[in-house]
């Protein structure tokens, strides 16, 4: 018969159960198939609440609370900066201990989510828009052609600063960074519906109303023919200056195309943003040497988007709207 440390989990369970029933150690040892001394030692160890042996922790609970406060106050600091601030508070610990304790607390180093800044007026308009559209069906959303521009760079390696956060804190404003919408650069315009994607347009200059109307004429209309044929549809666009210009509104009226009203700074409501994300993730290991190779890679990757993917994204619209209502107009996870 083995020592106390050799007792199996089953034997320990039998000993604990029979001991609670008031059985003698001799009977317990016979039932568990071990020595009586092993039973005695196990019962005494449980009664005393002895813990496993090991090196004594070098930090106290107070020190650990200080570390958690430092990380929570400024989650964008790296481990070295956090360790320096912690030791400056009188704690004697190594950098490795600092990282291990942060991990034990549930903190993980992640790329922060980027969401547009929304003022209170914009939040109220988003909330009102979501409430107005909350009863739309999948069939109604399938009649909407979503469009957007996106910036593509030759290098996708620079992903910016990282943030220390716990599981479930991705959408916590403390752990997010703000984005600047569409910085001056060459953009790619695209459109999608539940039936698939339309042709891409590579923009060579800054998009003003005249340039945008050329895109609509030569790319949006062919996309509508491809995706809808002779059926009616509604066009979606954001509130960029070129999109909301009077001449652009006149262009839509002249062509008899209804435009979906859209809240400002709401990329989380537009499913084509998810398509751009899919394309960029698939391209993260591509290494184009120049702009022409980059365009070729984008076209090839865009062509791999399936109608099933588009249909699933369109089906997410009711969930997006519900999320906006629950967030009272604030940015959502989408």
């Amino acid at each position: 018969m083995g020592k106390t440390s050799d007792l199996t989990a089953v034997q320990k369970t039998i000993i604990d159960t029979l001991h609670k029933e008031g059985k003698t150690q001799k009977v317990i040892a016979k039932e568990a198939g071990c020595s009586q001394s092993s039973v005695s030692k196990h019962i005494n160890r449980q009664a005393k609440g002895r813990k496993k042996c090991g090196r004594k922790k070098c930090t106290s609970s107070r020190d650990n609370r200080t570390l958690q406060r430092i990380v929570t106050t400024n989650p964008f600091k790296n481990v070295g900066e956090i360790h320096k601030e912690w030791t400056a508070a009188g704690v004697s610990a190594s950098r490795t201990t600092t990282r291990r304790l942060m991990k034990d607390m549930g903190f993980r180093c992640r790329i922060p989510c980027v969401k547009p800044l929304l003022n209170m007026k914009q939040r109220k308009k988003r909330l009102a828009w979501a409430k107005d559209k909350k009863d739309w069906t999948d069939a109604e959303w399938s009649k909407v052609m979503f469009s957007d521009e996106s910036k593509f760079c030759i290098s996708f390696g620079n992903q910016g600063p990282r943030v220390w956060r716990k599981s479930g804190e991705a959408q916590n404003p403390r752990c997010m960074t703000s984005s600047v919408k569409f910085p001056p650069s060459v953009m790619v315009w695209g459109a999608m519906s539940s039936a698939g994607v339309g042709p891409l347009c590579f923009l060579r200059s800054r998009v003003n109303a005249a340039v945008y109307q050329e895109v609509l004429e030569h790319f949006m209309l062919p996309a509508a023919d491809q995706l809808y044929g002779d059926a009616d549809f509604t066009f979606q666009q954001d509130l960029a200056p070129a999109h909301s210009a009077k001449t652009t509104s006149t262009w839509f009226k002249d062509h008899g195309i209804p435009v979906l009203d859209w809240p400002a700074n709401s990329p989380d409501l537009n499913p084509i943003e998810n398509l751009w994300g899919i394309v960029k993730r698939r391209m993260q290991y591509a290494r184009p040497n120049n702009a022409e190779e980059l365009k070729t890679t984008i076209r090839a990757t865009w062509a791999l988007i399936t109608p099933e993917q588009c249909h699933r994204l369109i089906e997410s619209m009711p969930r997006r709207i519900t999320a906006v209502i629950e967030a009272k107009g604030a940015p959502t996870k989408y």
Side-chain angles (χ1 to χ4, degrees):
M1 297 183 183
K3 300 178 182 179
T4 307
S5 58
D6 295 331
L7 292 176
T8 66
V10 175
Q11 287 176 317
K12 292 178 181 179
T13 302
I14 293 173
I15 293 172
D16 293 335
T17 302
L18 296 179
H19 179 64
K20 289 179 181 179
E21 294 177 356
K23 302 293 184 181
T24 64
Q25 292 184 5
K26 185 175 182 180
V27 173
I28 295 174
K30 185 176 181 180
E31 291 291 332
C34 61
S35 66
Q36 189 173 334
S37 63
S38 295
V39 173
S40 177
K41 289 179 181 179
H42 176 75
I43 292 173
N44 291 335
R45 177 171 293 176
Q46 292 295 97
K48 293 179 181 179
R50 288 178 59 186
K51 297 181 180 179
K52 293 181 179 180
C53 299
R55 183 178 177 181
K56 185 179 179 180
K57 293 183 178 180
C58 64
T59 60
S60 64
S61 298
R62 184 177 181 179
D63 295 334
N64 295 345
R65 289 195 298 271
T66 301
L67 175 61
Q68 184 162 2
R69 184 170 61 252
I70 292 171
V71 179
T72 304
T73 302
N74 195 337
F76 288 92
K77 286 186 175 181
N78 59 40
V79 176
E81 293 169 333
I82 292 172
H83 173 70
K84 185 176 181 180
E85 184 174 345
W86 194 33
T87 52
V91 179
S92 178
S94 66
R95 180 168 173 163
T96 302
T97 299
T98 304
R99 179 184 288 275
R100 177 177 54 78
L101 285 175
M102 289 169 63
K103 186 176 181 180
D104 292 342
M105 292 175 185
F107 291 106
R108 299 293 184 271
C109 192
R110 298 287 187 260
I111 298 171
C113 295
V114 180
K115 296 291 183 181
L117 289 174
L118 292 171
N119 56 40
M120 189 55 63
K121 184 178 180 180
Q122 290 171 334
R123 290 190 178 191
K124 288 181 179 179
K125 287 186 176 181
R126 275 168 55 89
L127 181 58
W129 183 90
K131 289 181 177 179
D132 183 59
K133 301 293 188 294
K134 66 182 179 66
D135 294 325
W136 275 36
T137 64
D138 291 343
E140 289 176 293
W141 285 116
S142 66
K143 296 179 181 178
V144 178
M145 179 192 293
F146 292 89
S147 69
D148 191 29
E149 297 93 358
S150 185
K151 177 184 177 182
F152 282 79
C153 301
I154 289 179
S155 174
F156 295 95
N158 184 13
Q159 297 174 317
R162 300 178 76 89
V163 62
W164 290 98
R165 69 181 188 222
K166 296 182 179 180
S167 177
E169 290 186 338
Q171 301 302 318
N172 189 321
R174 180 180 59 81
C175 302
M176 296 165 63
T177 59
S178 300
S179 64
V180 178
K181 190 175 182 181
F182 302 140
S185 63
V186 175
M187 295 285 181
V188 181
W189 180 93
M192 66 163 288
S193 75
S194 62
V197 297
L200 292 176
C201 175
F202 293 92
L203 306 170
R204 296 184 178 180
S205 61
R206 185 174 180 178
V207 181
N208 54 29
V211 172
Y212 184 60
Q213 289 160 35
E214 288 292 319
V215 172
L216 296 174
E217 189 76 38
H218 299 292
F219 291 89
M220 190 275 283
L221 292 180
D225 291 337
Q226 173 186 330
L227 300 174
Y228 292 98
D230 296 329
D232 295 332
F233 71 97
T234 300
F235 186 69
Q236 179 278 335
Q237 58 182 2
D238 59 29
L239 300 183
H243 302 177
S244 56
K246 289 183 179 180
T247 54
T248 303
S249 299
T250 301
W251 187 94
F252 281 111
K253 290 179 181 178
D254 292 343
H255 288 76
I257 299 174
V259 178
L260 181 69
D261 60 302
W262 196 255
N265 283 352
S266 299
D268 54 332
L269 286 170
N270 194 344
I272 199 173
E273 293 285 352
N274 300 87
L275 282 191
W276 293 132
I278 291 171
V279 172
K280 290 178 180 179
R281 284 193 296 274
R282 289 178 176 176
M283 292 177 56
Q284 63 180 333
Y285 299 113
R287 292 295 179 266
N289 296 313
N290 51 56
E292 289 304 315
E293 289 185 9
L294 177 62
K295 291 179 182 180
T296 301
T297 305
I298 295 171
R299 287 193 188 97
T301 310
W302 183 255
L304 296 176
I305 300 296
T306 64
E308 290 75 20
Q309 287 177 299
C310 296
H311 185 70
R312 285 195 297 269
L313 288 173
I314 297 299
E315 285 184 330
S316 71
M317 286 304 298
R319 297 194 296 274
R320 295 170 191 261
I321 290 172
T322 300
V324 171
I325 294 174
E326 291 176 350
K328 297 181 180 180
T332 64
K333 65 178 182 178
Y334 292 96

